[in-house]
Amino acid sequence: MRVLKTMMRQPAALFGLFIVVLVMALAVAAPLIAPYSPDEQMFDGLTLEGAPMPPGGQFLLGTDTLGRDLFSRLLYGARTSLVIGLVANGIAVSIGLLIGILAGYLRGIFGNILMRFTDLMMAFPALLLAIVLAALLRPSLWIVAMVIALVNWVQVARIVYTETRGLVERDFILAERSLGAGHVRILFHHILPHLTPTAIVWGTLGIATTVLLEATLSFLGIGVQPPQPSWGNIIFESQSYFQAAPWLVFIPGAIILLTALSFNLVGDALRDILDPTQRGRG
């Protein structure tokens, strides 16, 4: 409640939270809200010349190149993009937490091996690595989520490692060790609770990056495969009609931009609220 009340006093955070909740609600309620099936190719969905129908009239946001309702496809595409964003980012944060905590707590040879592996992963461009993995594996919703998770955990691991190294030298940890506390108790009862704000903040901020990366992979044709809609492959399928039917590119592009911006606004607000070192800063 304290976090929510604080966010209510920040207009930017409140706007971001409203958009995030709205997009999630529309995605969940897509089967009830969508006027048509996302894959239904309607007889009157194209003009006499075979071009997509413009927004307005029977079709709120127009139709795509195959005569399918764009509004319905965007609603179902939100489900795909958000599922990938939440699942992939959740896995990435979990992997980063595990590796960062173990490397920072155990240190020594084992910790050095884990962090050198993290450095090696950070040396590869994330998009290029995701393209390679997606090309080697058969693209699907869950494969794309796994690929994105495998390239997005390194930043979390590095942050968690640094914080854990500082925590293990604190007096209360040294006191616990002197009292005979085991490693499991120290990790789960004393170190992990201090890292929870970091995990929440990075989990929120990372969703925006994950949604954008999924859209990029789908746009390149190696993400979620048609006919299952996602915001990225909606743009990919319509790129040849950029001049004749610009709404097919601009509308999903604007939705991706607005969703990513909203998650970033919420993540920034949570960082200011949950991170003691950030409180009171402009």
Side-chain angles (χ1 to χ4, degrees):
M1 291 302 298
R2 178 184 66 84
V3 172
L4 186 59
K5 289 179 180 178
T6 305
M7 292 185 67
M8 291 296 180
R9 295 194 294 267
Q10 302 179 20
L14 188 60
F15 171 78
L17 183 62
F18 172 76
I19 296 298
V20 167
V21 173
L22 177 62
V23 171
M24 288 185 172
L26 291 175
V28 172
L32 303 176
I33 300 175
Y36 305 98
S37 168
D39 302 326
E40 183 180 357
Q41 301 180 26
M42 285 160 288
F43 178 76
D44 54 350
L46 297 173
T47 65
L48 295 178
E49 294 78 17
M53 296 289 291
Q58 179 183 354
F59 306 105
L60 181 62
L61 298 180
T63 60
D64 66 1
T65 57
L66 297 178
R68 298 172 294 190
D69 181 52
L70 180 60
F71 178 62
S72 301
R73 289 185 61 77
L74 287 174
L75 288 175
Y76 279 88
R79 306 182 98 191
T80 302
S81 297
L82 290 179
V83 164
I84 290 179
L86 294 172
V87 171
N89 201 56
I91 296 174
V93 171
S94 300
I95 295 174
L97 270 175
L98 177 62
I99 292 180
I101 289 176
L102 290 178
Y105 182 77
L106 298 177
R107 295 179 287 184
I109 296 178
F110 184 74
N112 286 332
I113 292 175
L114 288 178
M115 294 317 298
R116 297 298 75 78
F117 174 69
T118 302
D119 293 338
L120 179 64
M121 294 295 294
M122 292 184 71
F124 287 95
L127 179 58
L128 180 60
L129 183 58
I131 290 174
V132 172
L133 291 174
L136 293 175
L137 303 172
R138 184 177 180 181
S140 67
L141 188 148
W142 301 113
I143 292 296
V144 171
M146 184 195 71
V147 167
I148 295 175
L150 290 177
V151 301
N152 274 356
W153 61 267
V154 289
Q155 294 86 357
V156 180
R158 174 58 68 180
I159 294 295
V160 170
Y161 169 75
T162 302
E163 293 194 8
T164 304
R165 284 290 302 268
L167 286 171
V168 295
E169 301 296 337
R170 299 279 293 274
D171 292 339
F172 67 93
I173 297 295
L174 298 177
E176 282 290 322
R177 285 178 172 170
S178 65
L179 293 174
H183 298 304
V184 175
R185 176 178 175 82
I186 292 175
L187 285 173
F188 285 94
H189 288 269
H190 297 284
I191 293 181
L192 188 59
H194 283 79
L195 299 174
T196 300
T198 300
I200 294 174
V201 171
W202 275 93
T204 307
L205 291 172
I207 292 176
T209 304
T210 304
V211 169
L212 290 173
L213 185 54
E214 181 278 326
T216 302
L217 292 176
S218 296
F219 176 75
L220 294 174
I222 54 176
V224 178
Q225 298 299 296
Q228 184 174 9
S230 78
W231 291 338
N233 66 25
I234 290 174
I235 298 177
F236 172 73
E237 293 172 349
S238 309
Q239 59 182 328
S240 60
Y241 280 75
F242 176 74
Q243 293 182 330
W247 63 88
L248 294 178
V249 175
F250 283 125
I251 293 178
I255 292 175
I256 293 172
L257 176 63
L258 184 61
T259 303
L261 174 63
S262 299
F263 274 109
N264 278 331
L265 291 174
V266 173
D268 285 339
L270 288 176
R271 180 192 60 191
D272 295 339
I273 296 169
L274 298 176
D275 187 355
T277 63
Q278 296 290 334
R279 293 177 189 170
R281 296 187 178 183

